[in-house]
Amino acid sequence: MTTHGGDRRAPAPSGLRGAGAVLDTLANGGVEVCFANPGTSEMHLVAEMTARPSMRNVLCLFEGVATGAADAYGRMAERPASALLHLGPGLGNGLANLHNARRASTAMVALVGDHATYLKDCDPPLNTDIEQLAAPMSAWVRRTTRAAEAGRDTAEALLAARAGAAAGTGGVATLILPSDVCWSEGGSAAEVPAAAPAPADADAVERSAKILRDNAGCLLFLGGANLRPAGLRAAARIARATGAELLAEKSPARHRREPGLPDIARLPYPLDEALARLGGYRHIVFAGAHPPVPFFGYPGRPSSLFAAGCELHLLGMAPAALQDLADLVAPAGTRASHHVTGRPGLPTGELTLAKAAAVIGALVPEEAVIVDEAITCAPDLIAATAGAPAHDWLCLSGGSIGMGMPGAVGAAVACPDRPVLTLQADGSAMYTPQALWTQAREGLNVVTIILGNGSYASLADELARVEGVPGADLGRTHGISDISGLDFVALAAGMGVPASRARSAGDLAEQLRRALAEPGPWLIEAVLPGGGVRGA
Amino acid sequence: MTTHGGDRRAPAPSGLRGAGAVLDTLANGGVEVCFANPGTSEMHLVAEMTARPSMRNVLCLFEGVATGAADAYGRMAERPASALLHLGPGLGNGLANLHNARRASTAMVALVGDHATYLKDCDPPLNTDIEQLAAPMSAWVRRTTRAAEAGRDTAEALLAARAGAAAGTGGVATLILPSDVCWSEGGSAAEVPAAAPAPADADAVERSAKILRDNAGCLLFLGGANLRPAGLRAAARIARATGAELLAEKSPARHRREPGLPDIARLPYPLDEALARLGGYRHIVFAGAHPPVPFFGYPGRPSSLFAAGCELHLLGMAPAALQDLADLVAPAGTRASHHVTGRPGLPTGELTLAKAAAVIGALVPEEAVIVDEAITCAPDLIAATAGAPAHDWLCLSGGSIGMGMPGAVGAAVACPDRPVLTLQADGSAMYTPQALWTQAREGLNVVTIILGNGSYASLADELARVEGVPGADLGRTHGISDISGLDFVALAAGMGVPASRARSAGDLAEQLRRALAEPGPWLIEAVLPGGGVRGA
């Protein structure tokens, strides 16, 4: 028997509310948009947000949409993103895309509401250990315990997000806000110092310059912010001056492609191809990227992508380092000549992946933002768009599927004047399809192309790689990769996005032209071999 | 510079594979179904599963569907459930429904694949700290490090799941399986001892008997397995013999309602109603339930539902305790008389929540399994079904939305001969709509009724409770609760589930009759005031 001793009530308030201090500090740090899926414990944050024109509140119907949108927004807006999530379960739903944001080193503040401090110990039904859930995807986690600390904590979250993003160690800062901290007064907004560009490590620049000068046939491996125009130009100069080859990380957060810039190939995903690509070098200089490792292990296969004895030289994550390196090894005015690739012609006839890629390559508009969750379809699409007008390409940096359509939400909010094109595999589309509703609600200029092969094709490929295991033949395990029966035209209509189905290359070209010409979202289900609803 | 020292390769294999040892041990423990959303690191588990008729592999297109289905399966099948998830991000997507399973104390083994042990330290792109992500929702977490330990670890996971479920402390056991542990040989299946019923705490029974005998007007607060027929009969005898009143926990994992059994009201959700319901007692005996706490805190409102000085007596979670208590206080043959409630008549005219509830109350079939994620619509539905034939009612035990349609998958797999009826709010339907695809693929007998009010109605209610906050008026914050624009008939069609829209009470009755008469899934969008797609 326990005797209940009476209520523990919240203290009486006095001053600016904690929620207001959080939001005003975010505004001081340049945060203008919050992708939100709030619940009861976040109602005071929502109410204060509604009262502030400084913050645009974009409602998402699932937390994974909010975090995926915040990630892509941060990649494109060049200012920190924010997301608002409800307690531990809401954070749980957002974790997969926080993982991608972490690997993309996007600067982001994830606001997670929690129970009132005095109720937390009572363990209400939705109570969980939010710190523990947040830690694996976060560079920084803090729980604010008093309204007076809300401004300071928010400012430190922003600084931690920026620092982690700059260091390439992950820029997700998770701020846990108990509801009574939000509703209590006594808070004040904190200033957020302006960001300073990260300095180059002069020793690393010197060492890398010596390696590149002394050794023919080095590899310069590029990632992060070096895949933007300034970095790409510097890399081209270095290659021209030293003979180094260039390669980009497998899944850049944002990769600029533009006539006049080198179109650098990315590390391939399949283990054998990655080994073949990297295994021949004795020296690799990493600029804005960490040395890559295999995506997965396979029985009896290597755990490293490098040849024994290969020397790995880390130039560092700061874009300034690559600029300094170029200035050291390449005389001013060194220019690389670039192979000029034309656009593919428009194909005709029944749709295949190659033809879909050609249509996209032929029609992708100037200054498009391409959000790529095409998975097994991606290599064809990358190749076919090499000659397209200038565009930015956003990848699934953490490999955690479900980023595509949410990412398009974030990119379109960040860049309302640019067309956004989502290249979306059908299997991964089903992790966060709710993003389409936000695209419709906000009238975002997003064209989604579903590459419909009716299969978890990557799993079919991986099963084929499984050797010597009973039951591994694809026929018997077919049930795990066959995802037929999805009708994306109906799904889109269900969320208010107009849609069409393309069965021929001509259909796709016509529909893509029309979709790009009209404002607001559109979805095209491109029916590839294996895909499509029977009879539809 | 670091020099790469060569590959760390997997050791050469020899014996039964780890994956096989896991699956054979699960079979020994009575696990017959795995709700799966696997990835590359789980391919050996999938391959071994395909080779074993002992395990039915139910593919889900999102991890939250898999965990929600496993939860409801466990509640209905009276045997442990299992789910298969891919790495940390896949576990993340499954956490919200693992939270519900934890609060429902469902016995479940969550299998989470991980990178090969020798690759983990290299931090491949999808690497995360899975232990940390799993811990908040799990009663038990272990990483298997060698195939030789896979059988033993699986058996211990099953024992931990059963023990946690019996103790009411959460029955999710998370077993982390590196891919090389799964593919390596040297494993063997372990035996799993049969479960023994939990014994009653004789002292607690004696103390509760004395309290109930010595004090008029006690409350007997019931939960867990006591809301099944034997527990309900014992509770009715105790009430009859001692004058105690009966109340059920707010969100039981499984609540049996049947003519001849007492239909015990559940603790209401709104704080004021809960306070009014519980605040008048001096003694409360908890049988199979923990003392409840408020769902959320509000400024200046209490953190306890009990009057100061109220004595809380814990009978314990074992169903045997309630039986022993009944035998102590109630002479054999004591029977409670039950108020017999009739079914409501079939209403006509434009649909309202009250009319929808009446139609459902009039037509819910014998031995239905009702999965309730109706949120703000639930009280009307519970009241209208009081006179329905025997049925089981599954609640959102942890309050983490997204359990409804996945739960119906699990209930229908567990009980293929019973009709499953999902009572589904529209807002919460959008967390795990992918469940409809599995309903179609498996041909499950599930009728989903979407209660479409076009709103996050619970948030609108909660915003109205927020007092004295700038911007709290509902008009300006409307953007956070208005979720109009969803067309659930189209969404269902997009996943292969036939569907219809009911705008009148007559429509709903006709469509529900037809849906129940036909095999396989069906969805009805019941358009309530505020809901429906304009013009559709």
Side-chain angles (χ1 to χ4, degrees):
Chain A
M1 187 270 287
T2 59
T3 299
H4 178 68
D7 300 330
R8 281 172 289 165
R9 285 165 190 265
S14 64
L16 174 68
R17 289 179 193 278
V22 169
L23 295 171
D24 288 348
T25 306
L26 287 175
N28 290 344
V31 179
E32 298 180 343
V33 179
C34 185
F35 298 94
N37 188 259
T40 298
S41 42
E42 293 78 42
M43 283 301 99
H44 288 80
L45 276 161
V46 168
E48 295 279 346
M49 209 178 287
T50 306
R52 279 170 173 71
S54 59
M55 181 68 93
R56 177 172 173 192
N57 179 356
V58 178
L59 183 62
C60 304
L61 296 190
F62 177 71
E63 295 87 349
V65 177
T67 54
D71 178 14
Y73 173 90
R75 299 187 198 187
M76 292 308 302
E78 305 191 57
R79 53 172 69 237
S82 77
L84 177 60
L85 309 171
H86 179 46
L87 301 168
L91 172 61
N93 283 335
L95 285 172
N97 273 330
L98 287 183
H99 176 80
N100 288 321
R102 174 171 77 111
R103 293 299 192 184
S105 280
T106 303
M108 182 196 307
V109 177
L111 305 171
V112 184
D114 198 8
H115 289 292
T117 51
Y118 59 87
L119 193 63
K120 181 92 178 161
D121 288 344
C122 306
D123 194 25
L126 275 161
N127 187 42
T128 62
D129 184 338
I130 299 177
E131 279 87 342
Q132 206 164 9
L133 292 170
M137 310 327 192
S138 303
W140 181 98
V141 181
R142 185 175 296 169
R143 171 182 297 273
T144 300
T145 57
R146 297 189 307 124
E149 294 160 359
R152 180 205 67 190
D153 287 354
T154 306
E156 292 187 16
L158 279 163
L159 296 178
R162 287 199 319 221
T169 51
V172 177
T174 300
L175 183 60
I176 303 168
L177 295 167
S179 56
D180 56 337
V181 169
C182 289
W183 79 52
S184 295
E185 296 179 353
S188 56
E191 292 305 311
V192 182
D201 174 343
D203 289 348
V205 172
E206 287 282 357
R207 284 196 304 271
S208 293
K210 180 167 164 52
I211 290 293
L212 290 168
R213 285 195 192 107
D214 292 355
N215 300 277
C218 294
L219 181 67
L220 179 57
F221 189 96
L222 299 160
N226 288 325
L227 296 174
R228 310 284 290 282
L232 292 168
R233 282 191 200 99
R237 286 168 60 204
I238 295 166
R240 175 87 166 177
T242 69
E245 294 182 36
L246 301 178
L247 187 68
E249 59 188 340
K250 182 197 163 288
S251 300
R254 178 177 176 185
H255 187 176
R256 180 70 174 181
R257 301 170 89 196
E258 183 179 318
L261 293 179
D263 190 31
I264 300 176
R266 300 181 198 136
L267 180 69
Y269 166 79
L271 180 59
D272 286 337
E273 291 179 40
L275 285 165
R277 191 66 190 78
L278 291 174
Y281 296 99
R282 273 217 61 226
H283 294 278
I284 307 181
V285 175
F286 295 89
H290 305 290
V293 297
F295 238 75
F296 292 107
Y298 301 93
R301 304 289 293 141
S303 64
S304 167
L305 299 174
F306 309 111
C310 174
E311 291 183 13
L312 312 181
H313 310 273
L314 307 182
L315 183 63
M317 304 306 290
L322 188 67
Q323 300 299 323
D324 290 354
L325 180 62
D327 291 343
L328 266 184
V329 301
T334 304
R335 292 191 151 271
S337 62
H338 302 299
H339 176 67
V340 177
T341 314
R343 286 196 185 220
L346 278 175
T348 58
E350 198 162 338
L351 211 50
T352 60
L353 173 57
K355 288 185 191 173
V359 171
I360 293 164
L363 298 182
V364 59
E366 179 88 30
E367 286 302 332
V369 182
I370 295 179
V371 184
D372 169 9
E373 192 171 69
I375 315 290
T376 54
C377 300
D380 287 71
L381 297 162
I382 294 167
T385 48
H391 60 273
D392 285 281
W393 195 285
L394 311 191
C395 294
L396 188 65
S397 297
S400 177
I401 54 180
M403 181 268 191
M405 298 190 291
V409 168
V413 169
C415 306
D417 299 327
R418 296 178 62 174
V420 175
L421 187 59
T422 313
L423 304 178
Q424 180 64 60
D426 52 359
S428 52
M430 291 305 292
Y431 287 73
T432 47
Q434 307 92 338
L436 293 171
W437 181 85
T438 300
Q439 292 180 12
R441 177 183 167 103
E442 301 284 336
L444 302 176
N445 293 321
V446 176
V447 178
T448 304
I449 299 179
I450 300 285
L451 299 147
N453 56 21
S455 172
Y456 279 157
S458 65
L459 292 192
D461 291 352
E462 295 289 356
L463 265 173
R465 290 188 186 112
V466 170
E467 288 164 47
V469 175
D473 65 283
L474 287 178
R476 287 156 75 201
T477 55
H478 193 239
I480 211 70
S481 58
D482 173 10
I483 59 161
S484 58
L486 293 165
D487 175 344
F488 283 94
V489 175
L491 277 172
M495 287 179 278
V497 170
S500 54
R501 181 172 288 112
R503 295 193 173 277
S504 70
D507 287 352
L508 180 58
E510 182 197 325
Q511 293 170 20
L512 180 53
R513 276 203 185 98
R514 178 175 155 206
L516 288 167
E518 289 184 10
W522 191 282
L523 180 144
I524 301 169
E525 179 176 345
V527 181
L528 303 182
V533 179
R534 282 174 249 310
Chain B
M1 187 272 286
T2 59
T3 300
H4 178 69
D7 301 329
R8 282 173 288 166
R9 285 165 189 267
S14 63
L16 174 68
R17 288 178 194 277
V22 169
L23 294 170
D24 288 349
T25 306
L26 287 175
N28 290 343
V31 179
E32 297 180 344
V33 179
C34 185
F35 298 93
N37 187 259
T40 299
S41 42
E42 294 76 45
M43 283 299 100
H44 289 81
L45 276 162
V46 168
E48 295 277 347
M49 209 179 287
T50 306
R52 281 170 170 73
S54 60
M55 182 67 93
R56 178 173 172 190
N57 179 355
V58 178
L59 182 62
C60 304
L61 296 190
F62 176 71
E63 295 86 349
V65 177
T67 54
D71 177 15
Y73 174 91
R75 300 188 199 187
M76 292 308 302
E78 304 190 56
R79 54 173 68 236
S82 77
L84 177 59
L85 309 171
H86 178 48
L87 301 167
L91 172 61
N93 283 336
L95 285 173
N97 273 329
L98 287 183
H99 176 79
N100 288 321
R102 172 170 78 111
R103 293 298 190 183
S105 280
T106 303
M108 182 197 306
V109 178
L111 305 171
V112 183
D114 198 7
H115 288 292
T117 53
Y118 59 88
L119 194 62
K120 181 91 178 161
D121 288 345
C122 306
D123 194 25
L126 275 161
N127 188 40
T128 62
D129 184 338
I130 298 177
E131 280 87 343
Q132 207 165 7
L133 292 171
M137 311 324 192
S138 303
W140 181 98
V141 181
R142 185 174 295 169
R143 172 182 296 274
T144 300
T145 56
R146 297 190 306 124
E149 294 160 358
R152 179 204 68 188
D153 287 354
T154 306
E156 292 187 16
L158 279 163
L159 296 178
R162 288 199 319 223
T169 52
V172 177
T174 301
L175 183 59
I176 303 168
L177 295 168
S179 56
D180 56 338
V181 168
C182 289
W183 80 52
S184 295
E185 296 179 352
S188 57
E191 292 304 314
V192 182
D201 174 342
D203 289 346
V205 172
E206 288 281 359
R207 283 195 304 271
S208 294
K210 182 167 164 44
I211 291 293
L212 291 168
R213 283 196 193 108
D214 293 354
N215 298 278
C218 294
L219 180 68
L220 179 56
F221 189 95
L222 300 160
N226 288 326
L227 295 175
R228 311 284 291 279
L232 292 169
R233 281 190 201 99
R237 286 169 59 204
I238 295 165
R240 175 88 168 174
T242 68
E245 293 181 36
L246 302 178
L247 187 68
E249 60 188 340
K250 182 196 163 292
S251 301
R254 179 176 175 186
H255 189 178
R256 180 70 172 181
R257 302 169 89 196
E258 184 178 316
L261 293 178
D263 190 30
I264 300 176
R266 299 180 200 138
L267 180 68
Y269 165 80
L271 180 59
D272 287 335
E273 292 179 38
L275 286 165
R277 190 67 189 79
L278 291 174
Y281 296 100
R282 274 216 61 224
H283 294 277
I284 306 180
V285 175
F286 295 88
H290 306 290
V293 296
F295 238 73
F296 291 107
Y298 301 92
R301 303 290 293 141
S303 65
S304 165
L305 299 175
F306 309 112
C310 174
E311 292 183 13
L312 312 180
H313 310 275
L314 307 181
L315 184 63
M317 303 306 291
L322 189 67
Q323 299 299 322
D324 291 354
L325 180 62
D327 290 343
L328 266 184
V329 302
T334 303
R335 290 190 154 274
S337 62
H338 302 301
H339 175 68
V340 177
T341 314
R343 288 196 183 220
L346 278 174
T348 58
E350 198 162 336
L351 212 49
T352 61
L353 173 57
K355 288 184 192 173
V359 171
I360 292 164
L363 298 181
V364 59
E366 179 89 31
E367 287 302 332
V369 181
I370 294 179
V371 184
D372 170 8
E373 192 171 65
I375 316 290
T376 54
C377 299
D380 287 72
L381 297 161
I382 294 167
T385 49
H391 60 274
D392 286 281
W393 195 286
L394 311 191
C395 293
L396 187 64
S397 297
S400 176
I401 55 180
M403 180 270 189
M405 299 190 291
V409 168
V413 169
C415 307
D417 300 328
R418 295 177 64 174
V420 175
L421 187 58
T422 313
L423 303 178
Q424 179 66 59
D426 51 0
S428 53
M430 291 306 292
Y431 287 73
T432 47
Q434 308 91 338
L436 293 171
W437 182 84
T438 301
Q439 292 179 13
R441 177 184 167 104
E442 300 284 336
L444 302 177
N445 294 319
V446 177
V447 177
T448 303
I449 299 180
I450 300 287
L451 298 147
N453 57 19
S455 171
Y456 279 157
S458 65
L459 291 194
D461 291 351
E462 296 288 357
L463 265 174
R465 290 188 188 112
V466 170
E467 288 164 47
V469 175
D473 67 285
L474 287 177
R476 288 155 74 200
T477 55
H478 193 239
I480 210 71
S481 59
D482 173 10
I483 60 162
S484 59
L486 293 166
D487 175 343
F488 284 94
V489 174
L491 277 172
M495 288 180 275
V497 170
S500 53
R501 181 172 289 111
R503 294 193 174 276
S504 69
D507 286 353
L508 180 59
E510 183 198 324
Q511 292 170 21
L512 180 54
R513 277 204 183 97
R514 177 175 155 207
L516 289 167
E518 288 184 9
W522 192 281
L523 180 143
I524 301 169
E525 180 176 347
V527 180
L528 302 182
V533 178
R534 283 172 251 307

